[in-house]
Amino acid sequence: GLTLQTKSAVYFLPFAGIRYLESQGRLVRCVTDHGTCESYARLSELEGQLNGRFFQCPKSFVGNMDRVTAFASTRFTLSTGERIPVSTRRRAEARLRFLQSLKEGFSEGSRSEA
């Protein structure tokens, strides 16, 4: 999981509950199923803690691919309906990651049913 320090506490956030991280200046917002945590950190510092299921869309967003349900050329849509922008430069890679994520999801689903 991700360890995030705020002004008043330190949180351990399981990867499965993280929807996305957003950098706004020196502040990083971590949006989870249980609310939003904000920390004065660099997104690049936090990325080192994340597993391979996370994808940096533009420089200011990192999304959890396990939560993405749709991809359009300019954005990911999450299972919650939230949208994460995808930069033009990362568009081709974003599409590949989304398709890979779908394939892996189908494989895991078929294994658990067997």
Side-chain angles (χ1 to χ4, degrees):
L2 175 69
T3 303
L4 190 70
Q5 184 170 346
T6 67
K7 287 181 180 178
S8 58
V10 176
Y11 295 93
F12 178 78
L13 307 170
F15 292 142
I18 299 172
R19 298 177 190 168
Y20 64 91
L21 287 86
E22 178 184 7
S23 175
Q24 296 178 328
R26 294 181 352 138
L27 189 69
V28 174
R29 293 177 57 235
C30 183
V31 179
T32 74
D33 291 337
H34 302 290
T36 300
C37 294
E38 295 183 340
S39 175
Y40 286 100
R42 293 181 186 267
L43 194 54
S44 58
E45 295 168 357
L46 298 177
E47 278 184 289
Q49 294 185 53
L50 300 174
N51 66 16
R53 303 302 300 153
F54 289 82
F55 179 73
Q56 186 172 16
C57 309
K59 286 184 178 182
S60 59
F61 280 87
V62 174
N64 184 345
M65 294 305 294
D66 290 336
R67 306 304 294 271
V68 175
T69 57
F71 170 71
S73 62
T74 60
R75 69 182 178 277
F76 285 127
T77 302
L78 305 183
S79 56
T80 57
E82 295 162 300
R83 294 178 175 170
I84 300 174
V86 173
S87 66
T88 303
R89 191 174 64 81
R90 308 283 327 255
R91 192 174 295 163
E93 186 180 356
R95 183 178 183 277
L96 285 173
R97 286 291 303 271
F98 176 63
L99 294 174
Q100 179 184 9
S101 178
L102 287 178
K103 183 178 178 183
E104 290 170 358
F106 288 136
S107 296
E108 289 174 12
S110 62
R111 277 199 301 266
S112 64
E113 293 173 7

